[in-house]
């Protein structure tokens, strides 16, 4: 069955690192932009990072610039989010999603397929 599986979350101390993975199975992936979003309790779903279909264009929300890096390996149908220097405010469920197009967009309604998410908890 087609799905996006997000993994790699967990408990990490402030200042530490995690690498999240988003793997596509039974789902067209190579020709689509992919985004990472996060949602904390009581907060709206927030765009974190996005990457276009071939990795040529990348966007980040200002709060993670210089700390997070998004990348993709189309041969493995996988997108990664390397999270460095994490902060307690990074705590959230992180979800990956496939865009409706080849280009990066930053709003929820511009994505048409969502994974279940992986929990990231940053302790201080």
């Amino acid at each position: 069955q087609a799905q996006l599986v997000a993994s790699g979350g967990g408990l990490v101390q402030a200042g530490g690192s995690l690498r999240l993975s988003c793997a596509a199975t039974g789902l067209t992936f190579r020709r689509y932009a992919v985004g990472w979003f996060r949602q904390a309790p009581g907060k709206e779903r927030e765009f974190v990072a996005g990457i276009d279909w071939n990795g040529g264009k990348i966007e980040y929300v200002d709060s993670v610039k210089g700390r997070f890096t998004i990348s993709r390996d189309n041969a493995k149908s996988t997108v990664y989010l390397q999270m460095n220097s994490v902060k307690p405010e990074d705590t959230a469920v992180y979800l990956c999603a496939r865009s409706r197009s080849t280009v990066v967009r930053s709003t929820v309604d511009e994505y048409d397929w969502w994974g279940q998410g992986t929990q990231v908890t940053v302790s201080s």
Side-chain angles (χ1 to χ4, degrees), residues 56-110:
K57 298 292 178 63
I58 292 171
E59 295 183 7
Y60 299 98
V61 66
D62 286 346
S63 62
V64 309
K65 288 180 179 177
R67 300 189 297 118
F68 293 6
T69 303
I70 188 171
S71 61
R72 68 189 297 162
D73 184 343
N74 284 343
K76 297 181 178 179
S77 295
T78 301
V79 171
Y80 304 96
L81 186 68
Q82 179 67 44
M83 304 169 61
N84 295 330
S85 301
V86 296
K87 303 175 180 179
E89 53 262 43
D90 295 322
T91 295
V93 174
Y94 283 72
L95 306 101
C96 63
R98 187 188 72 176
S99 174
R100 296 182 181 273
S101 74
T102 60
V103 300
V104 175
R105 300 299 186 197
S106 61
T107 59
V108 169
D109 62 1
E110 292 167 345

Side-chain angles (χ1 to χ4, degrees), residues 8-27:
L11 177 64
V12 62
Q13 292 182 344
S17 297
L18 286 173
R19 189 180 75 162
L20 308 184
S21 298
C22 173
T25 301
L27 180 69

